Amino acid sequence: AQSVTQLDSQVPVFEEAPVELRCNYSSSVSVYLFWYVQYPNQGLQLLLKYLSGSTLVKGINGFEAEFNKSQTSFHLRKPSVHISDTAEYFCAVSERTGANNLFFGTGTRLTVIP
Amino acid sequence: DVKVTQSSRYLVKRTGEKVFLECVQDMDHENMFWYRQDPGLGLRLIYFSYDVKMKEKGDIPEGYSVSREKKERFSLILESASTNQTSMYLCASSLRRQGVDTIYFGEGSWLTVV
């Protein structure tokens, strides 16, 4: 069974500062990894995904994430945040084989302070 | 662009009512999903469907049923709504049956049961 842990439920950060949102997963099989963003009153939008290849994945809006297999982590980073990055961020994992659905973490609310 | 449309954004229903949440996607995706989102719990899968007339239980199917009579439409049914089903419901769809392709989300339906 899959599980996803987002260690920080809330992360406040000042504008133009760097940010890291942490995500760890547990799985007995190979996985795909995702980060989604949810702006207020909206559905989820894909930020980036790791399927295979380079472990450093670049996504939209200047975000990137690094897959670390030994630490079973997929942390999301941005070197300089903007007010518009204020949102909830969800890490998700899916097995490479088997059921085609995502398992989500509980989310991290990023608040960018002017 | 992929479009996943949830017909009702905000609903208020009484306890015991039968509730239908409708979802339509326009990209000929095989897979469709219903998730429930609650603060501190992230997204939890209720049901998913690989194809027309096919359905699989997710993590929290109790109190819900689904219908997929056409490929583009996936309905979530609350047979007898209860107050603990007050939540945000998210529909999603994706392309592949094996492995995982990007899952696209609708904007969500806020259901309040009084």
Side-chain angles (χ1 to χ4, degrees):
Chain A
Q2 312 292 325
S3 70
V4 180
T5 302
Q6 291 182 246
L7 295 167
D8 306 301
S9 59
Q10 297 190 54
V11 173
V13 62
F14 285 104
E15 193 174 14
E16 298 183 6
V19 70
E20 178 179 84
L21 305 183
R22 296 180 292 169
C23 174
N24 288 86
Y25 68 92
S26 66
S27 175
S28 57
V29 299
S30 295
V31 296
Y32 299 118
L33 295 156
F34 304 79
W35 276 98
Y36 281 83
V37 60
Q38 184 179 37
Y39 299 105
N41 298 317
Q42 294 186 25
L44 275 70
Q45 178 184 358
L46 182 68
L47 263 183
L48 49 80
K49 60 185 177 183
Y50 171 77
L51 301 182
S52 64
S54 172
T55 57
L56 183 63
V57 180
K58 294 190 184 297
I60 62 172
N61 300 340
F63 283 92
E64 64 180 32
E66 186 156 19
F67 170 53
N68 187 319
K69 188 176 182 180
S70 63
Q71 296 186 4
T72 60
S73 68
F74 190 54
H75 300 331
L76 181 70
R77 302 185 184 100
K78 186 170 182 177
S80 175
V81 295
H82 302 289
I83 296 290
S84 59
D85 293 324
T86 293
E88 186 130 24
Y89 293 80
F90 291 94
C91 182
V93 63
S94 181
E95 292 180 351
R96 286 177 177 263
T97 58
N100 186 20
N101 56 292
L102 290 175
F103 295 87
F104 284 87
T106 52
T108 298
R109 179 166 297 278
L110 173 64
T111 302
V112 180
I113 304 164
Chain B
D1 280 350
V2 175
K3 187 79 172 176
V4 179
T5 303
Q6 295 181 233
S7 56
S8 302
R9 290 298 310 276
Y10 303 96
L11 305 93
V12 179
K13 297 292 181 180
R14 295 192 181 278
T15 300
E17 275 194 77
K18 190 169 186 176
V19 181
F20 292 86
L21 299 180
E22 306 287 349
C23 175
V24 176
Q25 50 93 2
D26 64 359
M27 286 299 292
D28 203 34
H29 285 173
E30 292 94 350
N31 304 322
M32 295 190 75
F33 309 84
W34 275 106
Y35 288 89
R36 171 176 171 161
Q37 183 180 5
D38 299 289
L41 297 178
L43 277 75
R44 294 177 291 168
L45 183 66
I46 304 171
Y47 269 97
F48 61 102
S49 169
Y50 290 131
D51 206 343
V52 175
K53 295 191 185 299
M54 295 184 68
K55 60 185 180 184
E56 297 280 347
K57 292 180 180 179
D59 300 319
I60 52 164
E62 296 79 16
Y64 303 94
S65 62
V66 289
S67 172
R68 190 145 181 225
E69 296 297 318
K70 294 184 178 181
K71 192 174 186 178
E72 67 270 19
R73 187 179 297 271
F74 193 36
S75 303
L76 180 69
I77 303 157
L78 288 67
E79 295 289 343
S80 178
S82 63
T83 54
N84 62 12
Q85 292 178 309
T86 291
S87 187
M88 161 87 131
Y89 292 87
L90 287 162
C91 176
S93 71
S94 71
L95 187 57
R96 294 188 194 169
R97 186 170 303 179
Q98 294 296 328
V100 174
D101 205 332
T102 300
I103 292 182
Y104 297 88
F105 285 84
E107 293 198 328
S109 298
W110 286 97
L111 173 65
T112 302
V113 183
V114 298

